[in-house]
Amino acid sequence: MATIEECRAALDKLSDNMQRAEGDAREAASLDRSVSCHIKDLDVTFAGRMTGGRIEVHETLQGPPREKAQIRLAMTGDDLVALVDGELHFARAWGSGRVRLEAGLRDLFHLRKLL
């Protein structure tokens, strides 16, 4: 089972990857939205903002998100690490329910280019 530190490192790596994105993915990464990522098996939520092509984590909270972010992710820590490392395909994980992504329709349209 991934630790809180490994999950935080995975989010930092995802942020670095977003910073280097090109084309349509770069456009999607440039959204300015509040973000939360709930790690279900650890019952921890990373809350912050996606801005300037990066994810900035402002808080690490025990339990589910306290406020409804504009972009909300939920998964296990192992799935987060596997997604960022390229070992788990996002569309398959989302389709099977291993990863939950909630956002407005317009944001989902933009995020599909990134994910």
Side-chain angles (χ1 to χ4, degrees):
M1 181 166 78
T3 65
I4 292 173
E5 293 78 19
E6 290 170 325
C7 292
R8 177 60 195 254
L11 286 173
D12 289 341
K13 184 177 177 180
L14 175 61
S15 184
D16 291 343
N17 292 346
M18 288 172 51
Q19 189 74 40
R20 292 190 300 270
E22 297 179 1
D24 289 343
R26 183 165 192 81
E27 178 187 335
S30 68
L31 292 172
D32 184 8
R33 301 286 186 272
S34 60
V35 177
S36 68
C37 182
H38 183 232
I39 307 301
K40 298 185 295 185
D41 55 333
L42 299 174
D43 199 23
V44 169
T45 298
F46 297 98
R49 189 146 200 96
M50 189 164 95
T51 184
R54 296 195 57 83
I55 298 171
E56 298 174 2
V57 176
H58 298 148
E59 295 181 282
T60 302
L61 310 165
Q62 193 63 41
R66 295 192 180 119
E67 297 180 20
K68 187 176 178 180
Q70 292 167 303
I71 298 172
R72 300 167 302 283
L73 288 160
M75 67 195 81
T76 67
D78 288 343
D79 284 346
L80 172 62
V81 171
L83 278 170
V84 173
D85 287 345
E87 298 168 4
L88 180 62
H89 190 269
F90 179 82
R92 287 189 202 114
W94 181 62
S96 69
R98 287 176 68 177
V99 173
R100 194 175 78 222
L101 170 63
E102 298 175 358
L105 187 58
R106 185 174 177 176
D107 288 340
L108 287 172
F109 180 73
H110 284 289
L111 288 172
R112 74 173 174 80
K113 299 172 190 173
L114 183 61
L115 304 169

